[in-house]
Amino acid sequence: MIRSLFSLVVIFGPAVSCPAQVPALAVLQQGKPTSLRGLSVVDDSVAWVSGSGGWVGRTADRGETWRWAQVTGHEHLDFRDIEAFSAGEAVIISAGTPLVILRTTDGGQAWTATHRDGRPEIFMDGMDFWDDGRGLAYGDPIAGVMQLLATDDWGLTWRDVSGEANLGLAEGEAGFAASGTGIRTLPGGGVYIATGGKVSRVFHSADRGATWAVYGCPIVQGSSSTGIFSVAFRDALHGVVVGGDYREDGNAADAAFLTSDGGKTWWPPTRGTRGYRSGVEYIGDRWLLATGTSGVDLSRDGGRHWEALSADGYHAVRKAKKGSWVLLAGSDGRIATLVHR
């Protein structure tokens, strides 16, 4: 739902578990004409990014070199989310109309369309997968109902389950295609989807989307630029949401909240983030990073206290599915690594 602002990818390493080390950023490359919001880190060597102008980037050597390309025939699309399964396999999803979901098995040299929707109202916000190849993609409401697509085969085929789930949204309530982390899957079949706008809520399913519960959240809300932009969970009970107002990205009021009961109730941190944040990620058992256009914040105590890490802004942050590598993504196709001093 929100449009891209500016972009960077940052690599985070061993300091996740070593508080004595102070992280700093070192730019690796920049200048690509794309705003990156899609980010997927497979392991400590492989990562993919996607963004505006049909651009996709991939590294298989821990960021030493990157292969960049515009997806042929789709140079006008904004790929707001990407899910990678290996150095060869990945799925990308566009925001806006037409909705196009593409899949590659050869490292991005060729892409195959696995789903398309040309309705003018369609706008998908993100997707996430479980470890068995099942996944969900969600989008803004059509006729008051959140759009949901499901796959059982790593994105080879998709089916529209919007009617089955029938998740009704309030007038002015929608998702944000800001970082691909407005939706999160959990081991065992759990999944969370966050919304914002006039109303901001958290939708939770414990059975891969068969049934849903809906919880309110006191994050700032009430206008189209406010609400929850990202959600992350450490386990089935402990989680965090971040967001705020992207039009006032330095406003820190009610921009982050925590839960210890699986999202049923939310409470504010003792010291919050420094403003609007579009992405949040657990990078250790108690360590988190939150990023937005006004900077990056670090928490060492599960989100209760946040401290400034960088004044530079980024859109997305993700940790390796298998490993400790953490990256942040933003605009200009810039890529930097986090060093320790």
Side-chain angles (χ1 to χ4, degrees):
M1 181 173 179
I2 97 168
R3 297 300 187 260
S4 48
L5 301 172
F6 102 109
S7 144
L8 172 64
V9 175
V10 177
I11 304 169
F12 197 105
V16 166
S17 58
C18 187
Q21 293 182 324
V22 179
L25 304 183
V27 175
L28 300 178
Q29 59 175 297
Q30 58 187 336
K32 293 296 178 183
T34 181
S35 178
L36 302 171
R37 292 184 183 272
L39 172 60
S40 186
V41 188
V42 177
D43 53 33
D44 286 340
S45 298
V46 176
W48 297 65
V49 292
S50 65
S52 59
W55 283 94
V56 175
R58 182 191 68 118
T59 181
D61 56 11
R62 197 175 172 83
E64 289 189 21
T65 60
W66 290 78
R67 179 185 180 274
W68 292 92
Q70 286 179 284
V71 181
T72 303
H74 301 284
E75 295 87 352
H76 62 294
L77 294 182
D78 192 349
F79 292 113
R80 293 289 184 91
D81 200 5
I82 186 167
E83 184 75 18
F85 311 115
S86 67
E89 294 181 279
V91 176
I92 49 178
I93 186 170
S94 67
T97 186
L99 160 65
V100 178
I101 303 178
L102 304 173
R103 195 175 190 279
T104 184
T105 58
D106 59 7
Q109 296 182 64
W111 294 87
T112 301
T114 61
H115 188 81
R116 182 182 175 90
D117 189 331
R119 288 177 293 172
E121 309 94 335
I122 197 72
F123 193 102
M124 300 304 284
D125 297 302
M127 61 183 170
D128 206 7
F129 282 71
W130 289 278
D131 289 341
D132 60 0
R134 287 186 276 186
L136 284 175
Y138 81 109
D140 290 355
I142 296 179
V145 175
M146 181 189 293
Q147 298 302 289
L148 285 174
L149 300 174
T151 180
D152 295 325
D153 52 15
W154 306 98
L156 281 168
T157 60
W158 296 83
R159 64 187 186 282
D160 191 329
V161 296
S162 309
E164 298 172 32
N166 195 29
L167 299 181
L169 300 189
E171 184 177 355
E173 180 183 13
F176 289 105
S179 65
T181 53
I183 180 171
R184 292 284 190 154
T185 57
L186 276 69
V191 59
Y192 287 86
I193 298 176
T195 63
K198 293 289 184 68
V199 178
S200 188
R201 297 186 289 175
V202 176
F203 293 75
H204 173 234
S205 174
D207 51 17
R208 301 180 190 272
T211 59
W212 293 86
V214 188
Y215 309 125
C217 181
I219 201 165
V220 61
Q221 54 199 277
S223 69
S224 62
S225 59
T226 61
I228 302 171
F229 284 70
S230 179
V231 57
F233 272 79
R234 186 182 78 199
D235 52 40
L237 295 177
H238 300 90
V240 58
V241 294
V242 299
D245 187 341
Y246 75 83
R247 291 177 179 162
E248 299 181 13
D249 64 359
N251 187 347
D254 296 331
F257 283 85
L258 308 170
T259 184
S260 57
D261 58 10
K264 296 180 178 67
T265 59
W266 297 88
W267 42 277
T270 303
R271 183 174 65 238
T273 58
R274 292 169 298 139
Y276 154 77
R277 297 293 177 257
S278 55
V280 66
E281 182 88 333
Y282 282 91
I283 60 173
D285 186 48
R286 304 276 296 167
W287 285 55
L288 295 107
L289 283 182
T291 184
T293 50
S294 63
V296 179
D297 299 308
L298 168 70
S299 174
R300 307 168 193 252
D301 59 4
R304 288 173 173 80
H305 297 84
W306 294 88
E307 61 192 79
L309 179 64
S310 173
D312 295 328
Y314 321 109
H315 296 318
V317 54
R318 300 304 298 262
K319 178 179 178 291
K321 300 173 189 177
K322 299 177 181 179
S324 60
W325 199 21
V326 177
L327 299 94
L328 289 82
S331 59
D332 260 354
R334 290 186 292 161
I335 300 176
T337 183
L338 194 75
V339 297
H340 313 289
R341 57 188 182 190

